[in-house]
Amino acid sequence: MVFQYIRVSSDKQTIQHQKDEISRYCSLNNLEIDRTIEIEISSRKDTRTRKIDFLLEELENDKDDTTTILIITELSRLGRNTGEVINLISTIVDLGVEVRILKQNITLKPNTKNESDPMSKMMITILSMFAEFERDIISQRTKEALKGLINKGISLGKPKNTIQKSIFDKDKERVVELLGLGLSYQKVVEKHLGYGSASTLHTYVKKRNLLVA
């Protein structure tokens, strides 16, 4: 059985373009598409939303005697980054599915007779190396960018004296009143507020200078 997975991330791209590309490939290689899974959605979405989980289920359920083939136009159709794509490709190949990626002109074959296809294994290894290289490059660029900001005198992180929102904000006046009556922090949170802890309330009062005379 031959599957095609098609994904576009915006209305500026068309599903039909990928269909036509795969159709031309199938005509040249005497293949016929049996199953189409298509979706228009960003790669930033999770695998379930992108129908990747559904694709894996369909591939796993296809247990006929013939070779199962998955055709995609390019690697980026499957995932948001190289690492995710490689993990997914490995999973699909382990299911006994042959993967054909048209743009990169790559064919990855599953294991046969409990033996790994050497070319497929080599390609997955190479792609995994590129995935690691991509992560290293991103990490290095991030570090260099942060260093550049520091060299320019730009402080990183939250500005000094930044006050974050707190669960106690909605009861601020009540807290001040109760503490002003001489109640302990423990009694305020346990008997009157019903949430938080004495230590977090104490920190809240101190940071906001809600000192009670």
Side-chain angles (χ1 to χ4, degrees), residues 100-192:
R100 301 189 184 186
I101 306 111
L102 305 189
K103 186 173 182 180
Q104 284 80 18
N105 193 26
I106 295 173
T107 296
L108 300 175
K109 296 182 179 181
N111 299 347
T112 56
K113 298 180 181 179
N114 296 322
E115 294 181 359
S116 299
D117 176 68
M119 286 300 295
S120 296
K121 188 174 181 180
M122 182 185 73
M123 287 304 304
I124 291 175
T125 301
I126 292 173
L127 291 171
S128 298
M129 290 172 62
F130 274 111
E132 185 176 354
F133 177 70
E134 179 187 54
R135 289 193 296 269
D136 290 342
I137 288 294
I138 292 173
S139 176
Q140 185 63 33
R141 286 177 178 173
T142 301
K143 290 177 181 177
E144 289 176 355
L146 293 175
K147 185 178 180 180
L149 292 175
I150 293 173
N151 290 339
K152 291 179 181 179
I154 300 174
S155 60
L156 304 177
K158 298 173 185 174
K160 285 186 177 181
N161 301 320
T162 296
I163 298 178
Q164 292 181 295
K165 290 183 179 180
S166 168
I167 57 174
F168 298 113
D169 283 342
K170 63 181 184 298
D171 291 311
K172 181 173 71 172
E173 293 180 1
R174 190 179 178 197
V175 166
V176 172
E177 180 183 356
L178 292 171
L179 292 175
L181 293 173
L183 274 69
S184 68
Y185 290 97
Q186 193 71 35
K187 283 188 177 181
V188 171
V189 297
E190 289 184 355
K191 304 293 184 181
H192 297 274

Side-chain angles (χ1 to χ4, degrees), residues 22-31:
I22 293 175
S23 178
R24 286 192 295 271
Y25 174 84
C26 288
S27 296
L28 292 172
N29 291 273
N30 298 317
L31 295 173

